[in-house]
Amino acid sequence: MHKDSLYTDEIWNRFSEKFGSSAEDFELKTYPQFDPYFNFPENKIVLQQLLKDEKLLGVAQHPFLPFVKILTKTPRYRWQEDDGEYMLETKIRPIAFASHFDTYIYAYYSFALTLKYQEYIRKHEFQDCVLAYRSDLDGKCNIQFAKEVFDAIKNKIKNKKSCSVIALDITGYFDNIDHGKLKEKWCKILNLPELPVDQYKVFRSLTNYAYVNKDSILRHFNIDLKQLKKEDIRWQTLLDLIPDEIAGPTFKQKFKLLKERKLIMTNMPKKHKGILQHKGIPQGSAMSALLSNIYLIDFDKWLWDLSQKLDFTYKRYCDDLIVICDTDLVDEINRKILAEISNYKLTIQEKKTELIEFLPNSKGKIRAFNRREIIKYGSKINASNEQKFYKNLQYLGFEFNGQNVYIRPGSLSRYFRKMKGRIIKTVMMSYSDKSGFNKIKRRQIYFRYSHFGTRNFITYAKNAAKEFYKNGEGLLRSGMNSSSIKRQIASHVDIIEKEIRSKSNQRFDHKEYVRKKKKEVGKRQKYIPLKK
């Protein structure tokens, strides 16, 4: 085996177990791409032979296919500083899907390279500050990560009577990762002067990557996926949707047509202030998350060392950074972080930066205050004005006000919005003309949106509310021990049932009205008793 290869039989066996060795524990990925679905248990030998090539040429000569990019839209409630209230906004995020076979190549390199990354950060002793995208976190999830932060705040307050938190967000992180610096850090964790040929090929496929917009292809060839589904037309790849009479029947002919019609784009260098910049990796590939960690190894080490010197806590979850420090150090630490992050050609979103101060209110209880607003108005907090300066710290889907932990309001709103949408869809399907029984199927609704199900939002929230709980692997984990979270979700079953009855009655009345109207005009119809 080549001395610089990431392949070993031991790593391959562990990787194989992750995706399943049989049809029963393997989940086939069926998203639209240019190649057919890849059944890993049946065809993994093909991938293995490619990865274990003794000269590393298997992957080095592999023709990676373009990514298929889609835009995901996530409506969410966020606190608007200017308006002083929560308002609905839509976050649009581009997600890129690699071809089915390429996905497993990326997945293996991510798996093997993660081991190298984790070895590096442990060796340099800053492993405690990086929370996301690791395989050595002993089954911890956002519940434990958030709890650690809130506990650090409590400990700081216990020792100093008050403290401050700086929460920062990197602007467009994946789109602004500099290719030269990424390659430098990648080599650094391998302790090599240059990337081996196979890893360099992977690096190039993720930096100088080609992609197509799924919607652009569908619009260009006037393809309606909903209509195809209605007509029960089976297809597996995007190329299957392009008529043979336009391009020809073969993969090469159809791919050539996409190039000729300029539907395939490349992540080209971008000019900024007259300087050509090579930056950006696709968000959504099996390696992107790991590379977002590798890119900041020196930044994490620098800030970790500074935290030991100035006695503060630093944590990073991908592009979210949080610092818990003495209040008199806030400005100095914030200034140093902004200066240092610019060395990585990244910027901090000023709009999303939160400065939260934890100190006693007029009743002597520790509460979270908006430090920005206090400074802005030059106010001294007292019993008459303190409430307008209250601002809970939000972190990883939770909120902390100095006393209690809550589920973030935006997360709750999204849960109820999805639940109500599913109920409407279920009611419409149950009372549709094609339905043969006109009765609401509650089982699926309760499985997805109540504590009767497993691995859904409510079961996650219930685990968070407990002092201890068992995770999916049966391991005992710490929860928030929060009665506040319990109260937030206590009425979810009543809300589900009320929503089902309301939407069911509306649909019932509508169908009964339509039936009577048809009867009045003498139309024959098959009568099925309606059940509420």
Side-chain angles (χ1 to χ4, degrees):
M1 188 59 61
H2 195 285
K3 63 182 179 66
D4 294 330
S5 176
L6 286 177
Y7 178 88
T8 68
D9 288 336
E10 189 267 336
I11 293 177
W12 170 259
N13 290 335
R14 289 168 57 189
F15 172 77
S16 298
E17 289 176 7
K18 178 181 177 182
F19 288 98
S21 55
S22 65
E24 288 74 24
D25 52 5
F26 169 70
E27 185 177 352
L28 185 68
K29 295 178 174 64
T30 59
Y31 55 80
Q33 242 290 345
F34 292 117
D35 64 338
Y37 308 150
F38 185 75
N39 191 308
F40 180 77
E42 291 182 4
N43 303 303
K44 62 183 179 181
I45 187 65
V46 178
L47 176 65
Q48 184 182 20
Q49 293 303 319
L50 193 76
L51 294 169
K52 69 185 298 186
D53 183 275
E54 292 188 358
K55 295 182 179 179
L56 305 181
L57 297 179
V59 171
Q61 295 176 352
H62 174 70
F64 285 89
L65 290 176
F67 288 83
V68 172
K69 188 175 287 189
I70 65 169
L71 296 179
T72 61
K73 299 179 181 180
T74 307
R76 57 185 184 173
Y77 281 94
R78 292 189 70 90
W79 179 261
Q80 306 296 325
E81 294 287 354
D82 296 337
D83 300 302
E85 61 179 331
Y86 283 97
M87 296 182 67
L88 184 66
E89 64 178 33
T90 301
K91 181 178 181 180
I92 300 176
R93 183 192 309 176
I95 301 295
F97 293 94
S99 78
H100 296 289
F101 186 69
D102 292 350
T103 290
Y104 285 95
I105 296 178
Y106 291 134
Y108 179 83
Y109 277 90
S110 176
F111 188 87
L113 202 56
T114 294
L115 301 177
K116 295 285 187 181
Y117 167 75
Q118 291 168 173
E119 180 184 329
Y120 180 90
I121 63 176
R122 285 195 300 270
K123 178 181 177 182
H124 293 84
E125 299 181 334
F126 63 97
Q127 70 276 10
D128 290 342
C129 67
V130 186
L131 303 179
Y133 313 131
R134 291 169 55 185
S135 60
D136 62 346
L137 294 170
D138 196 26
K140 290 182 179 179
C141 69
N142 287 4
I143 295 173
Q144 287 78 53
F145 298 148
K147 184 178 187 301
E148 288 173 5
V149 165
F150 301 153
D151 286 347
I153 293 170
K154 293 175 184 177
N155 290 333
K156 198 78 171 175
I157 293 170
K158 185 177 180 180
N159 296 328
K160 300 291 182 74
K161 309 303 180 186
S162 67
C163 74
S164 290
V165 174
I166 312 170
L168 309 107
D169 188 278
I170 301 173
T171 304
Y173 184 27
F174 290 90
D175 291 334
N176 289 288
I177 288 178
D178 180 79
H179 296 169
K181 285 189 175 293
L182 175 61
K183 182 169 173 283
E184 172 196 331
K185 310 306 178 190
W186 191 332
C187 290
K188 194 168 188 176
I189 68 164
L190 296 172
N191 195 27
L192 294 173
E194 292 292 337
L195 290 179
V197 290
D198 61 326
Q199 292 184 58
Y200 181 72
K201 181 62 179 286
V202 173
F203 166 79
R204 288 289 291 168
S205 73
L206 290 165
T207 52
N208 190 38
Y209 65 95
Y211 66 95
V212 297
N213 286 308
K214 176 186 169 184
D215 289 343
S216 296
I217 285 185
L218 298 181
R219 284 196 302 268
H220 186 86
F221 293 104
N222 196 27
I223 299 166
D224 185 346
L225 294 182
K226 291 183 179 179
Q227 187 60 35
L228 294 180
K229 188 175 182 179
K230 286 181 181 179
E231 296 173 4
D232 197 28
I233 296 176
R234 305 299 175 90
W235 58 279
Q236 190 174 127
T237 78
L238 287 174
L239 297 181
D240 293 338
L241 300 174
I242 302 175
D244 293 351
E245 56 269 21
I246 296 178
T250 68
F251 178 95
K252 286 186 177 180
Q253 289 171 322
K254 292 184 177 182
F255 212 78
K256 180 181 178 183
L257 180 67
L258 294 179
K259 290 182 177 179
E260 290 174 350
R261 298 195 177 183
K262 298 182 179 179
L263 291 170
I264 299 177
M265 292 163 279
T266 307
N267 182 38
M268 300 295 290
K270 304 167 185 67
K271 270 193 175 183
H272 179 69
K273 297 181 180 180
I275 300 174
L276 209 58
Q277 295 184 340
H278 299 262
K279 62 181 184 178
I281 61 174
Q283 188 170 352
S285 83
M287 284 199 69
S288 299
L290 168 65
L291 295 183
S292 73
N293 274 346
I294 290 175
Y295 188 72
L296 288 179
I297 51 172
D298 289 338
F299 175 84
D300 288 334
K301 180 67 166 65
W302 167 80
L303 193 48
W304 173 260
D305 289 344
L306 187 65
S307 74
Q308 302 306 293
K309 179 181 177 182
L310 298 181
D311 188 28
F312 63 83
T313 298
Y314 162 59
K315 303 286 184 182
R316 180 175 65 82
Y317 192 100
C318 190
D319 55 357
D320 289 326
L321 287 66
I322 196 163
V323 167
I324 303 157
C325 63
D326 295 342
T327 299
D328 59 355
L329 292 175
V330 167
D331 294 337
E332 177 188 352
I333 294 172
N334 194 33
R335 185 174 60 253
K336 287 184 175 184
I337 290 175
L338 295 179
E340 183 66 18
I341 203 74
S342 66
N343 294 329
Y344 300 83
K345 302 184 181 180
L346 299 171
T347 56
I348 298 296
Q349 294 193 53
E350 185 67 20
K351 180 182 176 182
K352 291 187 178 181
T353 297
E354 290 190 351
L355 301 177
I356 307 295
E357 191 168 345
F358 289 87
L359 65 151
N361 64 6
S362 59
K363 296 180 179 180
K365 289 186 176 182
I366 296 295
R367 290 299 299 269
F369 292 87
N370 189 333
R371 179 178 168 84
R372 282 182 181 278
E373 292 294 295
I374 295 172
I375 295 173
K376 179 180 177 180
Y377 292 104
S379 301
K380 288 189 176 181
I381 300 173
N382 53 53
S384 63
N385 69 5
E386 62 186 6
Q387 288 199 7
K388 76 174 184 178
F389 294 116
Y390 284 159
K391 182 174 174 60
N392 296 349
L393 171 66
Q394 293 192 1
Y395 190 62
L396 300 182
F398 297 94
E399 285 195 352
F400 181 54
N401 69 356
Q403 296 292 319
N404 303 306
V405 178
Y406 303 88
I407 294 289
R408 191 165 59 90
S411 300
L412 274 176
S413 298
R414 185 160 57 250
Y415 156 73
F416 283 113
R417 190 165 55 249
K418 286 184 176 181
M419 177 263 286
K420 290 177 180 180
R422 167 51 61 179
I423 289 174
I424 291 172
K425 185 176 181 180
T426 300
V427 168
M428 292 182 67
M429 290 172 63
S430 297
Y431 284 167
S432 71
D433 293 334
K434 294 181 180 179
S435 175
F437 50 89
N438 285 293
K439 188 176 181 180
I440 306 301
K441 292 184 177 180
R442 283 174 161 79
R443 183 186 180 96
Q444 187 185 65
I445 294 172
Y446 277 98
F447 187 78
R448 288 188 180 184
Y449 298 102
S450 83
H451 64 282
F452 294 113
T454 57
R455 298 178 65 84
N456 60 35
F457 175 81
I458 291 296
T459 55
Y460 176 80
K462 283 178 70 67
N463 286 340
K466 297 175 182 177
E467 183 176 4
F468 297 99
Y469 70 94
K470 287 187 178 181
N471 65 10
E473 298 173 353
L475 301 174
L476 194 66
R477 291 289 172 261
S478 297
M480 300 287 186
N481 194 22
S482 169
S483 57
S484 302
I485 294 177
K486 291 177 183 177
R487 286 193 294 270
Q488 283 180 294
I489 61 175
S491 60
H492 76 277
V493 172
D494 292 337
I495 294 172
I496 290 174
E497 197 57 38
K498 181 180 178 181
E499 196 70 20
I500 289 175
R501 286 197 302 268
S502 171
K503 296 298 183 284
S504 179
N505 287 338
Q506 291 175 16
R507 191 67 178 171
F508 176 92
D509 293 340
H510 173 72
K511 282 211 72 173
E512 188 69 7
Y513 171 80
V514 171
R515 190 185 70 80
K516 288 180 179 178
K517 284 296 182 182
K518 287 182 178 180
K519 187 177 181 180
E520 287 175 4
V521 297
K523 286 188 176 180
R524 295 182 63 184
Q525 56 187 308
K526 182 179 179 182
Y527 179 66
I528 301 174
L530 301 179
K531 301 174 185 178
K532 290 192 180 183

